[in-house]
């Protein structure tokens, strides 16, 4: 079984920088602002013959249990409980502070094997702090510079007695989610999140890996509360404060015998309102998670209704070709439920015709209401997103439909629809062969797309219909 290593310490000592260094890629957001990391992030790391699960945690602070800092500390305590080894970071340049001593005592009482790491030890500026670290009673400090990669050899040797060497599987590749998030952070560091995206491959069939489900939405609509309810544990930080989640955090999960990867994301605001570099980086991660996902659950606040930003996110999901489910959260606080549902459905029909029939599930995540219906809908949409329709069925349907309602004539003559075939799944994509593609009205193309949805059970998923000139390419 793979060992678990947790990195802990007070804010701004370089935990996320060390996490990225040991992981071999930028996965955690790093910024000079103290307390950037809040939820714990996990990844697989390999250093020589040591293979282990690595956990980054929020900064340790002395605070009331109910405060945000107190809830972050509780998250770190859970990480320590499940760890086989703890790396306790201190800032060699700042020296040992009272908070370091307090949490060193806490770690000693936990009984967990601990390696004391004196970070920011490059040059001679950290010498005094390194010597002072001996007073913590956690053994000899290992001086490192996580930013520059200095001292990693000594750190590996200090970790070795606590970890069993493990051979990595020879064919194991990088986690695609980690790769996508690393790219998102690199983009944000350069100035803004890249708009090209690197998502799930629409040309491939459904694989054996977990179904990637991204939970997205505006700030403070209950995304992390929903993730915690689904997982059955307080895995993500929640609270009344807006914008608690900053990283896109992925958690593997089993539901009804099916493997899923839940991705909690930071709240997405309108770009005009995003001014801080840190929020740009969080938003970049959220957008990259959306592009990586196979299913996107858009969480909205039912007491507020369908905001313009909700529709912007929904359109982006559809444009990326991802399966979409809308979860109207806080439904228990809605007074006139029938009227609210009708208003939401009407707004979706008017403003999101390209994903007609998208599931709208009312939930109360804090109480667990509607969660089972949400999961049922999620799997139904996933199956429709992966559906392949036989060509013979398509053309029987096409022949009957065009005979009943043929395309309107164009100025140069009749438009003749010849043949229809599905060329992709994920999302369902169809090629329509006809003699004069440019003369087929957009309204008739929508008529065909709606007919496909109704006849073949493709409501609620993005559907692409491309026109090609020519006769039946398979007639011979």
């Amino acid at each position: 079984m793979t060992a678990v290593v947790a990195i802990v310490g007070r804010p701004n000592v370089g935990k996320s920088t060390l996490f990225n260094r040991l992981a071999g890629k930028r996965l955690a957001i790093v910024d000079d602002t103290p307390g950037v990391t809040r939820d714990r992030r996990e990844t697989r790391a390999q250093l020589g013959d040591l293979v282990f699960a690595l956990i980054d945690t929020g900064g340790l602070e002395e605070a009331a249990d109910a405060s945000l800092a107190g809830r972050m500390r509780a998250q770190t305590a859970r990480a320590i409980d499940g760890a086989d080894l703890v790396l306790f970071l201190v800032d060699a340049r700042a020296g040992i502070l009272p908070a370091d001593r307090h949490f060193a005592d806490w770690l000693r009482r936990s009984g967990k094997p601990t390696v004391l790491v004196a970070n920011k030890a490059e040059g001679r500026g950290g010498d005094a702090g390194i010597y002072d670290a001996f007073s913590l009673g956690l053994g000899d400090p290992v001086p490192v510079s996580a930013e520059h990669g200095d001292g990693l050899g000594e750190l590996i040797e200090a970790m070795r007695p606590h970890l069993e060497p493990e051979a990595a599987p020879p064919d194991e590749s990088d986690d695609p989610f980690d790769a996508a998030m690393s790219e998102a952070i690199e983009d944000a560091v350069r100035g803004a999140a890249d708009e090209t995206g690197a998502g799930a491959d629409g040309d491939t069939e459904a694989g054996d890996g977990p179904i990637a489900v991204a939970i997205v939405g505006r700030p403070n609509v209950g995304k992390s509360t929903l993730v915690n309810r689904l997982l059955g544990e307080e895995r993500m930080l929640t609270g009344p404060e807006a914008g608690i989640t900053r990283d896109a955090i992925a958690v593997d999960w089993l539901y009804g015998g099916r493997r899923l990867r839940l991705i909690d994301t930071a709240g997405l605001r309108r770009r005009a309102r995003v001014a801080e570099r840190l929020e740009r980086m969080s938003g970049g991660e959220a957008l990259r998670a959306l592009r990586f996902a196979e299913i996107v659950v858009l969480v909205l606040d039912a007491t507020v209704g369908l905001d313009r930003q909700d529709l912007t996110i929904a359109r982006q999901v559809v444009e990326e070709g991802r399966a979409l489910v809308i979860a109207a959260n806080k439904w228990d606080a809605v007074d006139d439920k029938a009227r609210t549902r009708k208003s939401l459905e009407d707004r979706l029909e008017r403003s999101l015709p390209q994903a007609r029939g998208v599931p709208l599930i009312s939930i109360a995540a804090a109480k667990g209401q509607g969660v089972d219906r949400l999961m049922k809908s999620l799997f139904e949409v996933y199956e429709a997103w992966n559906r392949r329709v036989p060509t013979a069925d398509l053309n029987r349907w096409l022949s009957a439909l065009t005979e009943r309602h043929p395309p309107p004539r164009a100025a140069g003559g009749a438009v003749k629809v010849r043949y229809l075939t599905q060329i992709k799944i994920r999302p369902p994509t169809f090629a329509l062969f006809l003699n004069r593609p440019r003369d087929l009205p957009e309204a008739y193309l929508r008529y065909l797309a709606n007919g496909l949805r109704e006849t073949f059970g493709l409501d609620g998923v993005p559907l692409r219909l491309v026109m090609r000139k020519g006769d039946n390419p398979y007639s011979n």
Side-chain angles (χ1 to χ4, degrees), residues 24 50 55 89 136 147 165 172 215 225 245 247 286 360 365 387 445 468 473:
L50 299 181
I55 303 177
L89 257 67
L136 295 176
E147 184 174 358
E172 184 160 348
I215 312 295
T225 302
T245 303
D247 295 279
L360 173 64
R387 184 162 299 147
L445 200 62
R468 294 180 178 174

Side-chain angles (χ1 to χ4, degrees), residues 3 13 33 62 70 122 157 197 200-201 211 239 283 307 310 351 353 365 383 385 406 408 410 413 432 437:
V13 295
T33 306
E62 296 184 69
E122 63 271 17
E157 291 309 309
D201 188 353
I211 301 171
D307 184 88
D310 295 322
S351 304
E383 288 167 9
W385 191 61
L432 179 68

Side-chain angles (χ1 to χ4, degrees), residues 165-281:
E166 178 183 330
D171 59 346
E172 184 160 348
S173 59
D174 284 343
D175 187 312
F177 175 74
D178 280 355
M181 292 304 100
S182 177
E183 186 178 349
I185 295 173
E186 295 284 0
D187 289 339
V189 167
R190 288 192 294 268
D194 185 285
E195 291 301 322
T196 58
D201 188 353
D203 295 323
T204 59
E205 303 289 336
D208 296 326
I211 301 171
V213 182
I215 312 295
V216 304
R218 292 180 290 112
N220 220 30
V221 294
K223 300 182 296 296
S224 296
T225 302
L226 175 59
V227 171
N228 287 343
R229 175 61 62 175
L230 292 171
L231 296 175
E233 63 169 303
E234 291 298 311
R235 176 62 180 81
M236 305 296 174
L237 277 173
T238 60
E241 306 91 343
I244 290 178
T245 303
R246 285 174 170 166
D247 295 279
I249 305 295
V251 182
D252 288 335
W253 178 51
L254 198 66
Y255 181 90
R258 301 182 73 166
R259 295 169 57 209
L260 297 100
R261 169 164 288 190
L262 287 178
I263 309 164
D264 190 21
T265 65
L268 289 168
R269 295 198 300 160
R270 288 205 298 270
R271 185 170 300 183
R273 295 183 178 179
V274 178
E276 296 182 1
R277 175 175 179 268
L278 181 56
E279 189 172 356
R280 283 203 310 272
M281 295 166 77

Side-chain angles (χ1 to χ4, degrees), residues 115-185:
V115 172
L116 177 61
V117 183
N119 191 28
K120 307 181 186 180
E122 63 271 17
R124 304 300 299 269
D127 287 355
I130 294 170
Y131 294 130
D132 198 11
F134 281 93
S135 65
L136 295 176
L138 292 174
D140 295 353
V142 180
V144 304
S145 171
E147 184 174 358
H148 298 98
D150 299 338
L152 291 187
E154 291 80 359
L155 178 59
I156 293 170
E157 291 309 309
M159 295 168 62
R160 187 177 296 280
H162 307 285
L163 304 175
E164 291 290 334
E166 178 183 330
D171 59 346
E172 184 160 348
S173 59
D174 284 343
D175 187 312
F177 175 74
D178 280 355
M181 292 304 100
S182 177
E183 186 178 349
I185 295 173

Side-chain angles (χ1 to χ4, degrees), residues 98 107 135 275 308 317 353 386 425 449-451:
L107 285 172
S135 65
R308 188 169 66 177
V317 174
N386 283 280
I425 60 171
N450 290 335

